[in-house]
Each structure stands twice: as C-alpha cells, then as structure tokens.
Amino acid sequence: MAETSVNNGVNVGALLAAREALKNAPEAAKFTWRASCKWQDGTFSRTKVQGFHGLGEEQKHKAEFSFDADHPEIFASEDRGITPVEYVLIGLASCLTAGVAAVAQNRGIQLRSVEAKVEGSMDIQGILGIDSDVRNGYDDIKVTFKIDADASKKDIEALVAQSQKRSAVYDIVTNPTSVSVQVV
Amino acid sequence: MAETSVNNGVNVGALLAAREALKNAPEAAKFTWRASCKWQDGTFSRTKVQGFHGLGEEQKHKAEFSFDADHPEIFASEDRGITPVEYVLIGLASCLTAGVAAVAQNRGIQLRSVEAKVEGSMDIQGILGIDSDVRNGYDDIKVTFKIDADASKKDIEALVAQSQKRSAVYDIVTNPTSVSVQVV
C-alpha cells in the first residue's frame, strides 16, 4: 500500500474500494464508451465525445469534447486536424501513462516526471492499395518512457510492466478486437 | 473514375498520381507517426502531435495539436479530458469516415452527409484486476453509419465495405499490432 507521504494525485483507496464493490455487482462493471463522428469535407471529420454508460446507468463527461481529424497536405488534403492513426498513438500513450501513475501510487513510489514518446511505423503502400501483402495499419509501435521517480531503475521498469499488463489500449492494439460496421 | 460533377472535397487524382509515384519509390512510402505524452497529475496527461516522417524526409502538421486525457469522476479522478479508450474510437470513426469520402469520390458518388456512431463495450473487471479471464480492452466495437448520398443502399454499403478494407485504424484494432515498451 501507499506510504502516506507519496502523492501522485491518484486516489488508490477509492479505486480499491470500487474493485471490492464491483466484485459483488459485476453488471455495474459493464461500460460502453461512445464517439459520434460527422464528415465535414474531403478527409476532414469532427468527432464528439461526451456520454458513456457504466455503473448501471448513463454517465457523461463534464463537458463535450470535440476532435478534428484530417489528412496532411502531402496527401493532397488540408491538414485541418491530426490523422486518425495518430489518435491511436494518443490513446496508447495516455493509457500507459495513467497506469504508471496509478501503479506508482499503489506501490508508494513518488513520481516527479513521466514522458512517453510513441512512434508507429507504417508502409502506406497498404492503404494506397499498391501491394496487398502490406498491411494497412502499423507494422510496429515503439513506446519509450523517461521517468524521474524516487525508485530504482528496476522498480521503475516494474511499474511500466504492470501498467502494460492492465492497460486497456495496449490490449486493444496488441490483440484482435472485434469491430462490426453497419449502415442504417 | 469520378464524374466531373461530383465533389466530395477529396483530390482523388492526386492520390492516384501518388500511388503511381510510390510504386517506383517504395522507400518513400515508409511513414513514422509520432505522439509525445507528458504526465500532468494523477491519471491526467497531455499529448502533443506535430512531426512525422514520410516521403523520405521529416514532415510536420501546420500546427502543434495538444490532447488531454484523464479518467472520469466516477473513477475517483477529475475528468480533465476524455479517456484513452475513447481516443481509439475517434481514430476508428475518423479513419472509416475519411475512407468513405475518398472511395465515394473515386466512384463518382456525391455525398451529402456522413455520420458514424461508434460504441465500444468493455467490462472494467479486466482493468481493475477482478477477473483475469476478462480482457482489459474492448469486448466488441460497433460502428453505425448513416449516409445521405446520390446512390442506392447497395452502393452505399459497398462504399463502407471498401473503406473498411483500406482503413489503417480498422486494421490496427481488428488485427494484432506489435507494441514494444522500453524505459530509458
């Protein structure tokens, strides 16, 4: 458990209490996350996020968040937002980083700074349909953490490993996830 | 090829020219996309996106884009941004939507509106470590398109199917993608 002097801003007590409560109410652990995308023009779209479902009822973020996506000028587009594939990197980086903070709190390790650089390599011969043996998505993603904390290198590496083990986005990217697409 | 009267804002001619050019210069098709995340406090992080590599040299978006991620209040956090798993839904929705516009342009179909609603279901017993048989990520993601276009239902369904076939994020989510994590 956390030493009382350590404060990474994560309420581990509340999370452990939630874990106990959900053990007895597994239906409440079923969440649905949502996003609603509207095409604007060309490859430019705007996606809004606010409502979700969990703990047995409708929930919402304090505000509606809006995200623009587009293709860059070198793809003959207008770069009115980042690309869809970069949104995946944001999800991965932020998920692993939040995990590092939560695990550090639980292990009594004070963090001073955490930076994660994420790089995804992609051969665009896939999406352009030049070579059907080339996949559309990333060949490979590399995450590099630089962490300053009151802990040994070994303990810091263990923090990151535990964050990976519990990361939703790491799981979504590294393992197959079923996606069904329909038109109404 | 596109009828001249159709304009979805996608420069298909330039994309087809790029495809021809890259057939003869496969090294230029190797892209690297990047994101740089800094932990702020608790589960709150900020990720910046600007530079990337492609066409044999360093590239950058017209501006630096910044994205906040956090956990909601019901997870004992402060909801200073959307969750990491919602960023994945934005990537998926915007990738499929851009694809619909590009394929429609190429097929000479005028779009009037395109909306994609994305829902991902997740049992948080996984990330909380309650049940090791429950995965951390989404069990299942549903994408529902509502498209108004000068085309039959069948042709619209074919647009969406072709967009899936060429979508980078659809591939990343539905198939395993290698992620390596290191601490420096």
Side-chain angles (χ1 to χ4, degrees):
Chain A
M1 279 301 297
E3 295 161 22
T4 49
S5 61
V6 168
N7 184 7
N8 296 318
V10 179
N11 189 340
V12 167
L15 290 176
L16 295 175
R19 179 159 77 178
E20 287 312 303
L22 290 174
K23 273 184 190 168
N24 302 311
E27 277 303 309
K30 291 187 177 161
F31 274 65
T32 304
W33 303 98
R34 300 193 196 105
S36 187
C37 178
K38 275 196 187 176
W39 173 64
Q40 305 294 313
D41 176 56
T43 53
F44 173 36
S45 68
R46 180 163 289 157
T47 303
K48 297 195 172 179
V49 174
Q50 182 163 31
F52 57 97
H53 185 92
L55 304 185
E57 59 187 357
E58 280 300 297
Q59 307 283 350
K60 60 180 184 178
H61 291 292
K62 286 194 286 194
E64 183 181 69
F65 295 90
S66 179
F67 301 91
D68 290 352
D70 200 358
H71 286 179
E73 291 179 332
I74 57 166
F75 291 171
S77 193
E78 291 175 43
D79 199 22
R80 289 156 289 194
I82 64 166
T83 63
V85 293
E86 290 166 316
Y87 279 107
V88 175
L89 301 185
I90 294 166
L92 181 63
S94 59
C95 197
L96 291 171
T97 298
V100 165
V103 176
Q105 186 68 39
N106 195 38
R107 295 185 177 181
I109 295 172
Q110 181 63 52
L111 298 174
R112 281 184 293 265
S113 70
V114 180
E115 285 179 46
K117 293 203 181 293
V118 187
E119 290 199 336
S121 56
M122 176 183 291
D123 185 337
I124 67 166
Q125 292 188 87
I127 51 176
L128 287 172
I130 294 173
D131 183 345
S132 61
D133 289 337
V134 174
R135 69 178 290 187
N136 296 321
Y138 288 121
D139 310 316
D140 185 55
I141 298 175
K142 285 188 177 60
V143 183
T144 306
F145 271 103
K146 194 173 158 187
I147 298 176
D148 182 16
D150 282 334
S152 66
K153 177 108 201 286
K154 196 179 150 207
D155 285 348
I156 291 172
E157 285 173 344
L159 281 185
V160 172
Q162 180 63 20
S163 172
Q164 271 178 265
K165 195 178 160 191
R166 284 273 161 267
S167 165
V169 178
Y170 180 83
D171 178 26
I172 294 163
V173 172
T174 57
N175 294 304
T177 300
S178 157
V179 177
S180 62
V181 182
Q182 63 165 341
V183 182
V184 293
Chain B
M1 279 302 296
E3 295 163 21
T4 48
S5 61
V6 168
N7 184 8
N8 296 318
V10 178
N11 188 340
V12 167
L15 290 175
L16 295 176
R19 179 159 77 179
E20 287 311 303
L22 289 174
K23 273 183 190 167
N24 302 313
E27 277 302 309
K30 290 187 178 161
F31 274 65
T32 305
W33 303 98
R34 301 193 196 106
S36 186
C37 179
K38 275 196 188 177
W39 174 64
Q40 305 294 313
D41 176 57
T43 53
F44 173 36
S45 68
R46 181 162 290 156
T47 303
K48 298 196 171 178
V49 175
Q50 183 164 28
F52 58 94
H53 185 92
L55 304 185
E57 59 188 354
E58 280 300 296
Q59 306 283 350
K60 60 181 183 176
H61 291 293
K62 285 194 287 195
E64 181 181 70
F65 294 91
S66 178
F67 301 91
D68 290 352
D70 200 359
H71 287 178
E73 291 180 331
I74 58 165
F75 291 172
S77 194
E78 291 175 43
D79 199 23
R80 288 156 287 194
I82 65 165
T83 63
V85 293
E86 289 166 317
Y87 278 107
V88 176
L89 302 184
I90 294 166
L92 182 62
S94 59
C95 197
L96 291 170
T97 298
V100 165
V103 176
Q105 186 67 39
N106 196 38
R107 294 185 178 181
I109 295 171
Q110 180 64 51
L111 298 173
R112 281 183 293 267
S113 70
V114 181
E115 285 179 47
K117 293 200 181 296
V118 186
E119 290 200 335
S121 58
M122 176 182 293
D123 186 336
I124 66 164
Q125 292 188 87
I127 51 175
L128 287 171
I130 294 173
D131 184 345
S132 60
D133 288 340
V134 175
R135 71 177 289 188
N136 297 321
Y138 289 121
D139 310 317
D140 185 55
I141 299 174
K142 286 188 175 61
V143 183
T144 308
F145 271 102
K146 193 172 159 189
I147 297 175
D148 183 17
D150 282 334
S152 67
K153 177 106 199 290
K154 196 181 149 207
D155 285 346
I156 290 174
E157 286 172 343
L159 280 185
V160 172
Q162 180 64 19
S163 172
Q164 271 178 264
K165 195 178 160 191
R166 284 273 162 264
S167 165
V169 178
Y170 180 82
D171 177 26
I172 294 164
V173 172
T174 57
N175 295 304
T177 300
S178 158
V179 177
S180 63
V181 181
Q182 63 164 342
V183 182
V184 292

